[in-house]
Amino acid sequence: MSLEITSEARSHGGRQLVVKHASSATGTDMTFSIFLPPQAGNGGNLPVLWYLSGLTCTHANVTEKGEYRAACAEHGIVFVAPDTSPRGEGVPNAEDYDFGQGAGFYVDATQEPWSQHFRMWTYVTEELPALVAAEFPVDIDRQGITGHSMGGHGALTVSLRNPGRFRSTSAFAPIVAPSQVPWGHKALAGYLGPDEQAWRKHDAVALIEDGARLDELLVDIGTADPFLEKELRPELLERACDAAGIRLALNLREGYDHSYYFISTFMADHIRWHAERL
């Protein structure tokens, strides 16, 4: 598969790349960013941390605002951040920010007109990992995953449905139970149709209730997050983890909101936590 490096910059002794490629999953060009820490030049493969972004975001939001490179360079971790949806000519869109382009919700759509291109589940679980493993020095036996908001939802569901693939899973302000909140109702109904039973495999709380298990989770949420009570509902995840015996470290960060000011503040803590497990 041919890759085009569209930008490259030196940072913390490593290389920050932005990469474009033709995706068979989405039928479009897709873009992702990848940080190769200085240890990547020493030979051998390194652990990789996948970061899934939230509503309205591209790869660029965390790349420019996430402040992850110093910690990744310290711990020798490759950091990969894909886009949140297919884009481009012929790709359907919606006027609302929380549906359509920029809001793929990490599912494979089954409903028209979305089903042709909006296949983000296949992209982030199959195509992109295979591409990165083939082209960059990553150790597929040492993978972690994290994400923010819609991407936190994606990180949790991808990890829960792929037992043993990820040694570590964390999230920033995740949508933990999309079947029970407005953002999720809109996205899951629009992409997957009205059968709520089909939604359960893309709902972290439902997956845990249905028997999916992880050893542990790390979640950070700001107490001043405007979406906390209506869209994020961390108490539902806490209840499900308690019932399932999953160790959940849920940190409620006083005064922090939903933005990258919040994410960047605790990014190094998450990377350190992943590094201990990778």
Side-chain angles (χ1 to χ4, degrees):
M1 188 178 297
S2 62
L3 303 179
E4 178 187 353
I5 296 175
T6 62
S7 73
E8 178 173 354
R10 191 78 170 168
S11 181
H12 294 279
R15 300 165 64 210
Q16 177 64 64
L17 310 178
V18 175
V19 181
K20 183 169 73 172
H21 70 102
S23 167
S24 59
T26 67
T28 66
D29 285 344
M30 293 293 290
T31 300
F32 66 92
S33 76
I34 180 168
F35 177 67
L36 301 170
Q39 296 89 336
N42 298 335
N45 293 333
L46 300 175
V48 56
L49 180 60
W50 305 91
Y51 178 92
L52 303 184
S53 295
L55 288 167
T56 75
C57 292
T58 70
H59 70 282
N61 298 74
V62 69
T63 305
E64 296 170 2
K65 303 175 184 177
E67 299 184 20
Y68 55 83
R69 281 171 285 268
C72 285
E74 177 184 352
H75 297 289
I77 293 176
V78 176
F79 189 99
V80 182
D83 202 347
T84 55
S85 78
R87 303 176 193 268
E89 187 176 352
V91 177
N93 199 10
E95 293 184 1
D96 299 331
Y97 77 95
D98 54 358
F99 194 75
Q101 293 187 33
F105 256 81
Y106 304 101
V107 304
D108 282 353
T110 60
Q111 305 299 298
E112 296 297 335
W114 314 102
S115 58
Q116 180 179 356
H117 297 296
F118 279 70
R119 302 183 68 245
M120 289 302 294
W121 179 268
T122 296
Y123 180 70
V124 299
T125 64
E126 298 179 15
E127 184 177 22
L128 184 59
L131 184 154
V132 169
E135 300 290 341
F136 298 99
V138 300
D139 183 349
I140 61 171
D141 292 325
R142 291 188 291 163
Q143 298 186 73
I145 191 167
T146 187
H148 170 233
S149 193
M150 178 186 72
H153 138 77
L156 296 179
T157 57
V158 167
S159 187
L160 284 163
R161 287 178 57 189
N162 290 275
R165 178 184 292 192
F166 302 98
R167 293 191 182 183
S168 52
T169 305
S170 76
F172 298 91
I175 305 169
V176 303
S179 298
Q180 301 186 51
V181 301
W183 274 342
H185 268 263
K186 182 175 184 176
L188 297 180
Y191 293 134
L192 303 178
D195 181 6
E196 295 189 16
Q197 198 62 31
W199 302 359
R200 294 185 69 83
K201 65 180 182 179
H202 291 290
D203 181 310
V205 167
L207 284 166
I208 293 170
E209 290 174 347
D210 291 345
R213 294 292 182 267
L214 297 173
D215 290 335
E216 58 181 337
L217 290 170
L218 170 64
V219 174
D220 276 62
I221 301 179
T223 61
D225 191 316
F227 307 112
L228 178 62
E229 296 181 1
K230 186 176 181 180
E231 302 285 6
L232 306 183
R233 304 289 304 277
E235 74 279 2
L236 298 178
L237 180 65
E238 189 170 32
R239 191 181 308 154
C241 287
D242 284 346
I246 296 172
R247 296 192 305 276
L248 171 64
L250 176 61
N251 299 314
L252 298 177
R253 303 298 189 176
E254 186 66 32
Y256 284 90
D257 60 17
H258 200 70
S259 72
Y260 270 90
Y261 296 112
F262 154 64
I263 297 167
S264 64
T265 300
F266 301 104
M267 179 66 84
D269 292 343
H270 277 239
I271 290 172
R272 187 180 307 111
W273 185 84
H274 283 277
E276 291 170 355
R277 290 150 180 82
L278 294 175

